[in-house]
């Protein structure tokens, strides 16, 4: 990620399936994009509390600097740590917390984020992770490790 990418203040996420929202007059309207804004300290603190202290330094690292550190952790038995992270995030409470966090970054009620079609979630997730290069790198590394494990391949064999 270049330094210019790190300075993005917002990302427009086009939606393949528009979301119905209430406008200022209370009338229903369809929105075909969601804008996610650069996180503030409050967002980073909430995310760090969700994922745990072990990953705080990765959240704040530049993506290029984080990748070797993440790979080293995975190779030294960190696969279990990443598995615990994923398992810890996939609870109703944590998913609701994440929805609230993303909603706040989008200046939307959580109900709007909950109404986004599943086909649009990867684009929203990519935009969200784009503001956290260390977390984006960790997610990418974890995905590669899970894929390698499930397919019977191993980078270390």
């Amino acid at each position: 990620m270049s330094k210019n990418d790190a300075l993005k203040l917002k990302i427009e996420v086009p939606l393949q399936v528009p979301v119905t929202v209430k406008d200022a007059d209370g009338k229903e309207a369809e929105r075909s994009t969601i804008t996610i804004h650069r996180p503030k300290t409050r967002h980073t603190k909430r995310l760090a509390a969700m994922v745990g202290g072990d990953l705080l330094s990765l959240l704040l690292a530049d993506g290029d600097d984080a990748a070797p550190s993440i790979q080293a952790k995975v190779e030294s038995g960190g696969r279990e740590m990443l598995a615990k992270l994923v398992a810890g995030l996939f609870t109703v409470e944590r998913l609701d917390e994440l929805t609230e966090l993303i909603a706040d970054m989008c200046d939307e009620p959580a109900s709007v984020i909950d109404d986004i079609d599943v086909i649009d979630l990867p684009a929203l997730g990519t935009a969200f992770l784009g503001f956290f290069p260390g977390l984006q790198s960790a997610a990418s590394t974890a995905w590669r490790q899970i894929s390698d494990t499930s397919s019977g391949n191993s980078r270390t064999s």
Side-chain angles (χ1 to χ4, degrees):
M1 172 179 278
S2 74
K3 293 299 178 190
N4 285 341
D5 289 339
L7 296 177
K8 284 185 180 177
L9 299 179
K10 64 182 178 179
I11 298 173
E12 295 284 330
V13 180
L15 301 174
Q16 295 180 50
V17 179
V19 175
T20 302
V21 296
K22 299 226 183 229
D23 64 15
D25 298 330
K27 296 179 184 174
E28 289 190 351
E30 285 193 348
R31 184 158 318 134
S32 60
T33 62
I34 291 287
T35 302
I36 187 166
H37 300 274
R38 186 168 185 77
K40 307 288 186 205
T41 300
R42 69 178 179 267
H43 301 119
T44 303
K45 287 174 18 182
R46 286 172 64 187
L47 186 60
M50 273 186 262
V51 300
D54 290 343
L55 296 177
L56 180 59
S57 62
L58 297 178
L59 289 174
L60 301 176
D62 185 295
D64 295 335
D65 294 339
S69 173
I70 294 163
Q71 186 62 35
K73 285 182 182 184
V74 168
E75 289 173 357
S76 69
R79 189 174 299 175
E80 291 81 21
M81 179 186 75
L82 291 172
K84 286 179 186 177
L85 166 66
V86 171
L89 283 176
F90 288 123
T91 67
V92 172
E93 294 81 15
R94 290 288 167 95
L95 290 172
D96 285 344
E97 287 179 50
L98 186 58
T99 298
E100 290 283 342
L101 175 72
I102 292 170
D104 190 39
M105 289 174 63
C106 294
D107 293 326
E108 298 283 357
S111 60
V112 170
I113 303 305
D114 277 337
D115 285 344
I116 291 176
D117 192 273
V118 69
I119 199 167
D120 292 314
L121 289 179
L124 182 62
T126 298
F128 173 76
L129 289 174
F131 290 119
F132 297 97
L135 185 58
Q136 185 176 31
S137 183
S140 176
T141 298
W143 180 254
R144 280 194 309 272
Q145 290 295 321
I146 291 166
S147 296
D148 287 348
T149 300
S150 65
S151 67
N153 297 330
S154 173
R155 292 187 186 277
T156 58
S157 18

